[in-house]
Amino acid sequence: MKDLSFLTDHYNEGIERINAIGAPINFVFITDAHNRTYEYAIPLGIEPGTDWEYAADHIQSIQYILDRCPGIQCVISGGDMGNEYDEDGEKFIFSLQEAADCLHALSVPAYCITGNHDDGLGVARMKNLNPAEHVLLPRDFHRMFQRNIDSDVNYFYIDFPGYRFVFLDTSDKAYPKDKNGPFPPGWQLEVSDAQIKWFREEASATDSRIIVFSHNPIRNIGIIGSCGDNSLIKPYDDMLRAPALYHYMSINPKVVANIAGHVHYDNIVYHDNKLVTITTQCSLSQEWTPSCPKRVRGTVTETAFDVFSIKDDIIYITRFGAGENRIAPIERDKK
């Protein structure tokens, strides 16, 4: 097995913090790993002979934390776990399969969210590839990643004491066929009417607090992010049917937080209804703006992921890799 001490040698301080908090609810959240991007995506200005960053290393290193933090119940993947940028569809699928296998080899259950780069169609359209040869359909993603759930779709919920974790599929779109196979718009964010109905009538039917997990923030307003218009802060919602979904989140006081990735940046934003949106830095070692933490491949800063610990009305967020620890008070359904 590969020596991961270049990562794990730096994990003990975070492990001590998690154990000292002593929270009843703890989980790892890792997102936007884009496994093997630096190996397969050539025009990145990386010197020949440079050691590549592998997200598989980051995922495997989580076991070091799990072995020392018995209170962690699960690992949650926020999506965009593979590399779609290589024109070889087999390499794209391999990068996802490798990430999925590493997640499910961990000693606690892994729950996985679909990212908008996980079907491969964005690059297929951008490079005029045949999408039939460069695609991972929702049923294929389900087979690869969803090994710990009963649902036959990529949205579901898991109950923990006092909490319901609701996992959304924000790439829940139709795949109409043309002469080249399934070909919807690339990188499109969407939730179906059926998923919104499921959220309103089934997922929300609980007396427990609800945390909504999604690849992208359901409400973008005030969120700093790497995608969108030319400003750092996104002033709009860019997911199809997001306002309808957010409406049902906002009117249910049991929904206390939305935890997401996608924007490759750390955000904690409270909306007028006190529902907090928390986003986590990408695991990929990327600095898309000067305010991103410094990332150096081959050091612990090449990764970034969090352990969330929920105790009373506080969400404690412990960072492993580049970035800082954070705290987010729960302001809805306060005990």
PDB file of all heavy atoms in Angstrom, residues 120-134:
ATOM      1  N   GLY A 120     -19.873  13.072 -17.503  1.00  0.00           N
ATOM      2  CA  GLY A 120     -18.946  13.176 -18.628  1.00  0.00           C
ATOM      3  C   GLY A 120     -19.464  13.940 -19.824  1.00  0.00           C
ATOM      4  O   GLY A 120     -18.730  14.135 -20.802  1.00  0.00           O
ATOM      5  N   LEU A 121     -20.703  14.413 -19.765  1.00  0.00           N
ATOM      6  CA  LEU A 121     -21.296  15.001 -20.960  1.00  0.00           C
ATOM      7  C   LEU A 121     -20.842  16.433 -21.223  1.00  0.00           C
ATOM      8  O   LEU A 121     -20.913  16.908 -22.356  1.00  0.00           O
ATOM      9  CB  LEU A 121     -22.818  14.937 -20.855  1.00  0.00           C
ATOM     10  CG  LEU A 121     -23.385  13.534 -21.036  1.00  0.00           C
ATOM     11  CD1 LEU A 121     -24.870  13.516 -20.706  1.00  0.00           C
ATOM     12  CD2 LEU A 121     -23.152  13.034 -22.439  1.00  0.00           C
ATOM     13  N   GLY A 122     -20.374  17.116 -20.182  1.00  0.00           N
ATOM     14  CA  GLY A 122     -19.902  18.474 -20.396  1.00  0.00           C
ATOM     15  C   GLY A 122     -18.736  18.515 -21.365  1.00  0.00           C
ATOM     16  O   GLY A 122     -18.725  19.268 -22.344  1.00  0.00           O
ATOM     17  N   VAL A 123     -17.742  17.680 -21.105  1.00  0.00           N
ATOM     18  CA  VAL A 123     -16.575  17.637 -21.988  1.00  0.00           C
ATOM     19  C   VAL A 123     -16.930  17.000 -23.326  1.00  0.00           C
ATOM     20  O   VAL A 123     -16.413  17.387 -24.375  1.00  0.00           O
ATOM     21  CB  VAL A 123     -15.417  16.887 -21.305  1.00  0.00           C
ATOM     22  CG1 VAL A 123     -14.325  16.536 -22.292  1.00  0.00           C
ATOM     23  CG2 VAL A 123     -14.850  17.754 -20.181  1.00  0.00           C
ATOM     24  N   ALA A 124     -17.843  16.022 -23.311  1.00  0.00           N
ATOM     25  CA  ALA A 124     -18.266  15.418 -24.576  1.00  0.00           C
ATOM     26  C   ALA A 124     -18.831  16.477 -25.515  1.00  0.00           C
ATOM     27  O   ALA A 124     -18.533  16.482 -26.720  1.00  0.00           O
ATOM     28  CB  ALA A 124     -19.304  14.325 -24.318  1.00  0.00           C
ATOM     29  N   ARG A 125     -19.624  17.373 -24.981  1.00  0.00           N
ATOM     30  CA  ARG A 125     -20.173  18.447 -25.815  1.00  0.00           C
ATOM     31  C   ARG A 125     -19.105  19.456 -26.186  1.00  0.00           C
ATOM     32  O   ARG A 125     -19.030  19.915 -27.327  1.00  0.00           O
ATOM     33  CB  ARG A 125     -21.325  19.134 -25.100  1.00  0.00           C
ATOM     34  CG  ARG A 125     -22.551  18.242 -24.917  1.00  0.00           C
ATOM     35  CD  ARG A 125     -23.789  19.046 -24.619  1.00  0.00           C
ATOM     36  NE  ARG A 125     -24.183  19.853 -25.774  1.00  0.00           N
ATOM     37  CZ  ARG A 125     -25.282  20.594 -25.813  1.00  0.00           C
ATOM     38  NH1 ARG A 125     -26.108  20.618 -24.783  1.00  0.00           N
ATOM     39  NH2 ARG A 125     -25.574  21.305 -26.878  1.00  0.00           N
ATOM     40  N   MET A 126     -18.268  19.836 -25.210  1.00  0.00           N
ATOM     41  CA  MET A 126     -17.256  20.858 -25.458  1.00  0.00           C
ATOM     42  C   MET A 126     -16.266  20.420 -26.536  1.00  0.00           C
ATOM     43  O   MET A 126     -15.828  21.226 -27.367  1.00  0.00           O
ATOM     44  CB  MET A 126     -16.503  21.163 -24.161  1.00  0.00           C
ATOM     45  CG  MET A 126     -15.423  22.222 -24.283  1.00  0.00           C
ATOM     46  SD  MET A 126     -14.648  22.593 -22.687  1.00  0.00           S
ATOM     47  CE  MET A 126     -13.731  21.072 -22.394  1.00  0.00           C
ATOM     48  N   LYS A 127     -15.910  19.131 -26.553  1.00  0.00           N
ATOM     49  CA  LYS A 127     -14.896  18.622 -27.482  1.00  0.00           C
ATOM     50  C   LYS A 127     -15.508  17.856 -28.654  1.00  0.00           C
ATOM     51  O   LYS A 127     -14.780  17.204 -29.407  1.00  0.00           O
ATOM     52  CB  LYS A 127     -13.913  17.738 -26.724  1.00  0.00           C
ATOM     53  CG  LYS A 127     -13.092  18.487 -25.678  1.00  0.00           C
ATOM     54  CD  LYS A 127     -12.001  17.602 -25.084  1.00  0.00           C
ATOM     55  CE  LYS A 127     -11.118  18.393 -24.139  1.00  0.00           C
ATOM     56  NZ  LYS A 127     -10.000  17.561 -23.600  1.00  0.00           N
ATOM     57  N   ASN A 128     -16.839  17.919 -28.787  1.00  0.00           N
ATOM     58  CA  ASN A 128     -17.524  17.236 -29.884  1.00  0.00           C
ATOM     59  C   ASN A 128     -17.220  15.737 -29.917  1.00  0.00           C
ATOM     60  O   ASN A 128     -17.015  15.137 -30.976  1.00  0.00           O
ATOM     61  CB  ASN A 128     -17.165  17.875 -31.234  1.00  0.00           C
ATOM     62  CG  ASN A 128     -17.666  19.294 -31.349  1.00  0.00           C
ATOM     63  OD1 ASN A 128     -18.804  19.580 -30.984  1.00  0.00           O
ATOM     64  ND2 ASN A 128     -16.823  20.188 -31.835  1.00  0.00           N
ATOM     65  N   LEU A 129     -17.178  15.134 -28.733  1.00  0.00           N
ATOM     66  CA  LEU A 129     -16.995  13.688 -28.632  1.00  0.00           C
ATOM     67  C   LEU A 129     -18.339  12.994 -28.779  1.00  0.00           C
ATOM     68  O   LEU A 129     -19.396  13.608 -28.579  1.00  0.00           O
ATOM     69  CB  LEU A 129     -16.373  13.323 -27.286  1.00  0.00           C
ATOM     70  CG  LEU A 129     -15.064  14.025 -26.917  1.00  0.00           C
ATOM     71  CD1 LEU A 129     -14.641  13.636 -25.500  1.00  0.00           C
ATOM     72  CD2 LEU A 129     -13.973  13.690 -27.917  1.00  0.00           C
ATOM     73  N   ASN A 130     -18.307  11.734 -29.095  1.00  0.00           N
ATOM     74  CA  ASN A 130     -19.535  10.941 -29.124  1.00  0.00           C
ATOM     75  C   ASN A 130     -19.934  10.640 -27.683  1.00  0.00           C
ATOM     76  O   ASN A 130     -19.230   9.901 -26.987  1.00  0.00           O
ATOM     77  CB  ASN A 130     -19.300   9.637 -29.885  1.00  0.00           C
ATOM     78  CG  ASN A 130     -20.568   8.798 -29.988  1.00  0.00           C
ATOM     79  OD1 ASN A 130     -21.574   9.081 -29.335  1.00  0.00           O
ATOM     80  ND2 ASN A 130     -20.516   7.757 -30.796  1.00  0.00           N
ATOM     81  N   PRO A 131     -21.033  11.215 -27.193  1.00  0.00           N
ATOM     82  CA  PRO A 131     -21.389  11.009 -25.786  1.00  0.00           C
ATOM     83  C   PRO A 131     -21.654   9.552 -25.450  1.00  0.00           C
ATOM     84  O   PRO A 131     -21.527   9.146 -24.297  1.00  0.00           O
ATOM     85  CB  PRO A 131     -22.651  11.865 -25.608  1.00  0.00           C
ATOM     86  CG  PRO A 131     -23.185  12.045 -26.979  1.00  0.00           C
ATOM     87  CD  PRO A 131     -22.007  12.057 -27.899  1.00  0.00           C
ATOM     88  N   ALA A 132     -22.015   8.753 -26.450  1.00  0.00           N
ATOM     89  CA  ALA A 132     -22.239   7.334 -26.187  1.00  0.00           C
ATOM     90  C   ALA A 132     -20.954   6.628 -25.761  1.00  0.00           C
ATOM     91  O   ALA A 132     -20.997   5.559 -25.145  1.00  0.00           O
ATOM     92  CB  ALA A 132     -22.823   6.645 -27.408  1.00  0.00           C
ATOM     93  N   GLU A 133     -19.807   7.227 -26.074  1.00  0.00           N
ATOM     94  CA  GLU A 133     -18.514   6.650 -25.707  1.00  0.00           C
ATOM     95  C   GLU A 133     -17.864   7.386 -24.552  1.00  0.00           C
ATOM     96  O   GLU A 133     -16.741   7.053 -24.157  1.00  0.00           O
ATOM     97  CB  GLU A 133     -17.582   6.671 -26.927  1.00  0.00           C
ATOM     98  CG  GLU A 133     -18.104   5.848 -28.100  1.00  0.00           C
ATOM     99  CD  GLU A 133     -17.235   5.993 -29.334  1.00  0.00           C
ATOM    100  OE1 GLU A 133     -16.241   6.767 -29.288  1.00  0.00           O
ATOM    101  OE2 GLU A 133     -17.542   5.346 -30.354  1.00  0.00           O
ATOM    102  N   HIS A 134     -18.515   8.421 -24.027  1.00  0.00           N
ATOM    103  CA  HIS A 134     -17.915   9.244 -22.973  1.00  0.00           C
ATOM    104  C   HIS A 134     -19.029   9.674 -22.019  1.00  0.00           C
ATOM    105  O   HIS A 134     -19.329  10.856 -21.887  1.00  0.00           O
ATOM    106  CB  HIS A 134     -17.219  10.458 -23.588  1.00  0.00           C
ATOM    107  CG  HIS A 134     -16.255  11.151 -22.677  1.00  0.00           C
ATOM    108  ND1 HIS A 134     -16.631  12.072 -21.734  1.00  0.00           N
ATOM    109  CD2 HIS A 134     -14.910  11.052 -22.563  1.00  0.00           C
ATOM    110  CE1 HIS A 134     -15.572  12.520 -21.086  1.00  0.00           C
ATOM    111  NE2 HIS A 134     -14.507  11.917 -21.581  1.00  0.00           N
TER     112      HIS A 134
END
